[in-house]
Amino acid sequence: METLRESLSEKSSSVEAQGNVVRALKASRAAKPEIDAAIELLNKLKLEKSAVEKQLQASIGNGSHNREAFRQNVVNTLERRLFYIPSFKIYGGVAGLFDYGPPGCAVKSNVLSFWRQHFILEENMLEVDCPCVTPEIVLKASGHVDKFTDLMVKDEKKGTCYRADHLLKDYCNEKLEKDLTISAEKAAELKDVLAVMEDFSTEQLGAKIKEYGITAPDTKNPLSDPYPFNLMFQTSIGPSGSSPGYMRPETAQGIFVNFKDLYYYNGRKLPFAAAQIGQAFRNEISPRQGLLRVREFTLAEIEHFVDPENKSHPKFSEVAKLEFLMFPREEQMSGQSAKKFCLGEAVAKGTVNNETLGYFIGRVYLFLVRLGIDKERLRFRQHLANEMAHYAADCWDAEIESSYGWIECVGIADRSAFDLCAHSEKSGVPLVAEEKLAEPKEVEILVITPVKKELGLAFKGNQKNVVESLEAMNEEEAMQMKATMESKGEVEFYVCTLEKNVSIKKNMVSISKKKKKENQRVFTPSVIEPSFGIGRIIYCLYEHCFGTRPSKAGYEQLNVFRFPPLVAPIKCTVFPLVQNQQFEEAAKVISKELASVGISHKIDITGTSIGKRYARTDELGVPLAITVDSDTSVTIRERDSKDQVRVSLKEAASVVSSVTEGKMTWQDVWASFPHHSSAAVDE
């Protein structure tokens, strides 16, 4: 594409130069043959330019058009078959809020059920369920109150709000995809802006919006300078309004604040993991992209607590040989693309920071592929240095390619000890773990002794807050305070629970170090955090499983969701071939047996042709269909191959159960039972 852009730029320059030649010849009243020859060359150059324009348009437009057409077909099918619909539709809907219909609920339930099996049960995790409403102090400690923001701009006349980075991103993509006149240099600049946009400061983002002349999309009015907008929904707890709170923007904080109790519940042993599935809320400025960016969504998060001095994992060998697409930061910085790595080698070379982080990357890969995500359109991208929080040791995102591009669906981060330290400091409750030492060792410990009488006289009702803050100081802070008090007699000290500085005099606190023998090591655990956006995973799954195939007559394309049985909303349909009481009774017997073994199914006794009924259930992603055409035996049809086998009435439910639970493959069934011709009944 860049070669075509360069060629177009050259052709445009040639056309412009030759146009000047023609104008100059006409102005100087040159001979007619000379002017005609110059015009002929100009027309030839214009044709060449037009040919290159068409080539560039095709290379840009086809991919974009095909993606949008595919996406529209998927979304139309999902909404028509009630997988999901806009919330409050009869009132015009609300952007960023969606309802899951019956098949959507079933897919979500199946995904979460497998998540519980794959992570909570197989890894012996502790599951918790915490409230969505969270007191302000908790989110103040975690940093969300001060830093959980996106940059917003306003239409200066209408007041409509837009997310600043989205406007810049849309401008760059629009230019790259639709503007044939931009030079190769300009295209490279726009690509560079897209690559580094997340690292822009407020001022840089505002400067780019002004430089490119970006205006409000709906009105073309000028925009304000960008300013931060906190994405949390604010509320108050209780009728007085004096206790502020927020709807949680993530599910992790409930696990961190319960660390002490969970640690004791686990027999005071590390490592251990706690997990939570629940709703989270983000007041998105201008939500778009359907299920990918919403204001209320389901998260499934794991907090794996581990000794910072030993991040090995006993089960790492189980995933070490996996090979899949990885995108380390070095490859990103040098303009390369993702390539396949062996996970064990990536950890051994230090590309992935440690075994525990690597283990969870491997487990996430296995989870997503088992769900039905195409492994060729799944990559693990390492965060660049400017994307990572200052406290993080390493962070990788599982990104899934969809019609919207690469979408971050799972974040897997080594967050070090930041979260537990932040809550320990704010609450005054030490969130620590202990390790018994084989031999006692002599250590130097910090002793902070507040003089409560002097503090009481100075601070009265605030004495408790000051004492707690003094006792929570780390060694560096305490020794700095001691040095300042010895040289100046007093020091300014910030008390976080009072949110102000107070003056601490030398007679108010004693700070010293003393040696003692310890039988145990006390430390703050590190946290490895895999965080799953369930809605995003499900939408990408819909796209990866969606396809079309011609009807039997060949005059129309039929939609089909090729869900693995694991996540299919309905595992099986039961069709009496014709409306016949004998066949309907046999169908009820099969239905009762399917229900007794927990297989979700549906009986369809409509009078429509069997081919149309197959097409209907294919569009819902149902993997198997039982057709009852006798009271002794039935056919079982598989969705993807459309192959059919003949089984006895008594065997039907157990065969379906074995396939949907993964005990048998369809190939096993095909090899075990007589084949049945589908020519007469399929689409």
Side-chain angles (χ1 to χ4, degrees):
M1 192 185 296
E2 297 316 313
T3 309
L4 285 172
R5 283 195 190 280
E6 286 168 12
S7 177
L8 181 60
S9 181
E10 287 169 12
K11 297 292 181 193
S12 298
S13 298
S14 299
V15 167
E16 190 177 346
Q18 188 60 24
N20 291 335
V21 168
V22 171
R23 281 188 287 275
L25 288 171
K26 285 181 177 179
S28 66
R29 299 190 177 183
K32 187 174 185 299
E34 193 178 354
I35 293 174
D36 288 346
I39 290 172
E40 189 179 346
L41 178 57
L42 176 61
N43 289 336
K44 183 185 173 189
L45 291 170
K46 281 181 177 178
L47 284 171
E48 289 175 2
K49 178 190 169 191
S50 178
V52 176
E53 272 181 345
K54 283 177 182 172
Q55 279 182 276
L56 184 57
Q57 182 71 62
S59 66
I60 291 172
N62 284 347
S64 175
H65 174 74
N66 291 343
R67 283 198 308 274
E68 287 175 18
F70 170 76
R71 183 193 308 144
Q72 203 53 55
N73 196 4
V74 174
V75 169
N76 288 345
T77 307
L78 290 169
E79 291 196 13
R80 180 167 46 80
R81 298 312 302 264
L82 227 60
F83 280 83
Y84 76 91
I85 50 173
S87 300
F88 318 112
K89 191 164 72 170
I90 63 170
Y91 289 100
V94 178
L97 296 175
F98 294 93
D99 297 337
Y100 284 77
C105 281
V107 169
K108 181 179 175 183
S109 175
N110 292 339
V111 168
L112 290 175
S113 176
F114 179 53
W115 192 88
R116 275 197 172 91
Q117 170 67 38
H118 188 79
F119 291 106
I120 294 176
L121 296 180
E122 292 183 23
E123 305 294 340
N124 291 312
M125 294 178 179
L126 310 179
E127 187 174 7
V128 298
D129 187 356
C130 307
C132 294
V133 178
T134 306
E136 183 181 54
I137 192 170
V138 174
L139 294 167
K140 189 87 176 165
S142 66
H144 286 87
V145 172
D146 298 320
K147 295 177 182 174
F148 197 67
T149 57
D150 277 337
L151 291 172
M152 182 164 78
V153 288
K154 265 188 182 177
D155 180 321
E156 290 191 337
K157 293 181 181 175
K158 288 278 188 182
T160 310
C161 298
Y162 303 94
R163 192 165 143 179
D165 61 332
H166 282 178
L167 293 185
L168 181 55
K169 184 177 181 181
D170 288 348
Y171 172 85
C172 294
N173 284 328
E174 182 90 1
K175 282 281 182 189
L176 288 167
E177 290 179 6
K178 295 180 181 173
D179 188 347
L180 305 182
T181 63
I182 61 169
S183 65
E185 291 77 17
K186 188 67 175 177
E189 179 197 320
L190 295 175
K191 285 183 177 178
D192 187 52
V193 168
L194 286 170
V196 300
M197 188 188 301
E198 287 192 14
D199 200 32
F200 278 177
S201 65
T202 309
E203 292 73 23
Q204 287 172 311
L205 193 56
K208 277 293 174 197
I209 287 172
K210 278 193 170 62
E211 180 188 336
Y212 294 151
I214 298 171
T215 54
D218 305 318
T219 63
K220 306 305 175 194
N221 290 332
L223 295 165
S224 69
D225 290 331
Y227 60 96
F229 171 74
N230 194 294
L231 298 177
M232 291 192 294
F233 285 99
Q234 191 164 13
T235 184
S236 58
I237 301 169
S240 68
S242 60
S243 180
Y246 296 90
M247 303 300 288
R248 65 183 179 190
E250 60 175 36
T251 57
Q253 301 310 317
I255 297 174
F256 295 135
V257 299
N258 283 313
F259 169 78
K260 187 175 179 181
D261 291 328
L262 292 168
Y263 178 58
Y264 277 90
Y265 181 86
N266 199 54
R268 296 162 65 130
K269 291 176 185 171
L270 280 183
F272 77 91
Q276 178 168 199
I277 297 169
Q279 296 304 96
F281 306 82
R282 296 182 186 179
N283 195 11
E284 294 285 351
I285 295 164
S286 48
R288 55 193 190 162
Q289 297 184 327
L291 293 180
L292 297 180
R293 191 168 294 281
V294 292
R295 287 175 165 142
E296 179 179 349
F297 50 95
T298 303
L299 282 180
E301 293 192 292
I302 297 164
E303 308 302 332
H304 181 92
F305 299 101
V306 62
D307 186 336
E309 293 181 9
N310 180 14
K311 292 181 182 177
S312 62
H313 197 287
K315 290 163 70 179
F316 182 69
S317 60
E318 294 179 15
V319 298
K321 291 180 182 174
L322 289 174
E323 282 192 13
F324 46 81
L325 287 172
M326 298 183 79
F327 203 9
R329 64 173 67 97
E330 288 75 19
E331 273 74 2
Q332 295 173 58
M333 298 297 284
S334 58
Q336 298 177 53
S337 52
K339 57 177 184 260
K340 288 195 175 177
F341 283 79
C342 170
L343 183 57
E345 288 177 17
V347 171
K349 289 176 181 174
T351 307
V352 174
N353 185 271
N354 57 75
E355 272 191 10
T356 298
L357 185 64
Y359 179 72
F360 278 107
I361 289 173
R363 291 290 287 166
V364 168
Y365 169 79
L366 292 172
F367 170 75
L368 293 173
V369 170
R370 283 278 308 277
L371 280 185
I373 296 298
D374 179 357
K375 61 186 176 185
E376 299 304 321
R377 290 190 283 162
L378 166 64
R379 72 182 185 191
F380 288 80
R381 186 185 71 82
Q382 188 175 30
H383 278 205
L384 300 175
N386 59 40
E387 291 179 86
M388 288 211 303
H390 63 89
Y391 51 78
D394 196 6
C395 186
W396 294 74
D397 287 340
E399 296 183 333
I400 303 172
E401 190 179 26
S402 76
S403 62
Y404 291 104
W406 287 98
I407 303 299
E408 172 203 338
C409 293
V410 187
I412 310 139
D414 182 336
R415 296 174 59 88
S416 300
F418 169 79
D419 303 281
L420 294 181
C421 287
H423 287 298
S424 291
E425 188 178 339
K426 192 77 169 173
S427 67
V429 176
L431 301 176
V432 294
E434 299 151 2
E435 178 195 25
K436 285 191 176 177
L437 299 173
E439 293 180 13
K441 67 175 182 180
E442 190 171 77
V443 293
E444 197 173 47
I445 63 163
L446 177 70
V447 180
I448 301 171
T449 311
V451 181
K452 292 183 180 177
K453 180 183 173 186
E454 298 296 334
L455 290 166
L457 289 170
F459 301 111
K460 299 185 171 58
N462 291 330
Q463 178 200 12
K464 184 170 179 285
N465 303 68
V466 178
V467 168
E468 286 175 350
S469 287
L470 287 169
E471 289 176 338
M473 282 191 294
N474 61 36
E475 186 172 322
E476 187 182 346
E477 284 179 291
M479 298 317 289
Q480 200 172 353
M481 174 181 274
K482 179 181 172 73
T484 306
M485 286 193 303
E486 284 176 357
S487 62
K488 296 183 179 177
E490 63 180 311
V491 65
E492 286 290 300
F493 176 61
Y494 183 73
V495 179
C496 58
T497 50
L498 297 177
E499 296 189 347
K500 66 177 184 180
N501 283 325
V502 299
S503 181
I504 302 293
K505 294 185 170 56
K506 195 174 179 180
N507 64 342
M508 294 180 182
V509 62
S510 162
I511 298 170
S512 61
K513 283 187 176 181
K514 70 175 186 180
K515 290 185 177 178
K516 65 175 275 192
K517 285 195 173 180
E518 281 192 348
N519 294 307
Q520 62 182 14
R521 167 179 157 247
V522 178
F523 61 93
T524 305
S526 281
V527 175
I528 311 290
E529 179 191 73
S531 176
F532 298 73
I534 298 300
R536 288 184 166 199
I537 292 170
I538 288 172
Y539 178 76
C540 292
L541 179 68
Y542 288 152
E543 281 205 6
H544 283 211
C545 291
F546 184 79
T548 59
R549 61 187 176 201
S551 63
K552 188 180 176 188
Y555 58 82
E556 66 176 325
Q557 289 291 315
L558 302 173
N559 298 327
V560 55
F561 278 109
R562 294 183 174 87
F563 296 124
L566 181 72
V567 295
I570 300 166
K571 310 299 185 193
C572 178
T573 43
V574 184
F575 301 143
L577 183 61
V578 292
Q579 289 182 317
N580 169 304
Q581 189 175 356
Q582 193 179 9
F583 293 171
E584 286 174 19
E585 287 302 318
K588 286 177 185 175
V589 170
I590 294 170
S591 172
K592 192 172 181 181
E593 289 179 6
L594 288 168
S596 71
V597 289
I599 300 297
S600 61
H601 64 284
K602 188 177 181 180
I603 297 182
D604 187 344
I605 55 170
T606 57
T608 53
S609 73
I610 198 73
K612 286 184 178 175
R613 282 185 275 176
Y614 283 150
R616 267 205 308 254
T617 57
D618 287 350
E619 198 173 52
L620 279 173
V622 182
L624 298 171
I626 298 173
T627 302
V628 182
D629 55 3
S630 149
D631 57 1
T632 56
S633 65
V634 297
T635 62
I636 300 179
R637 172 205 185 251
E638 197 265 339
R639 176 198 62 218
D640 297 339
S641 64
K642 299 198 281 187
D643 288 337
Q644 298 187 23
V645 296
R646 193 90 193 162
V647 304
S648 71
L649 190 71
K650 290 180 181 177
E651 291 174 302
S654 66
V655 170
V656 169
S657 173
S658 296
V659 172
T660 56
E661 290 177 5
K663 294 173 186 172
M664 287 177 78
T665 64
W666 179 252
Q667 286 70 30
D668 297 331
V669 175
W670 185 250
S672 305
F673 294 94
H675 304 167
H676 183 78
S677 170
S678 63
V681 293
D682 219 333
E683 307 92 333

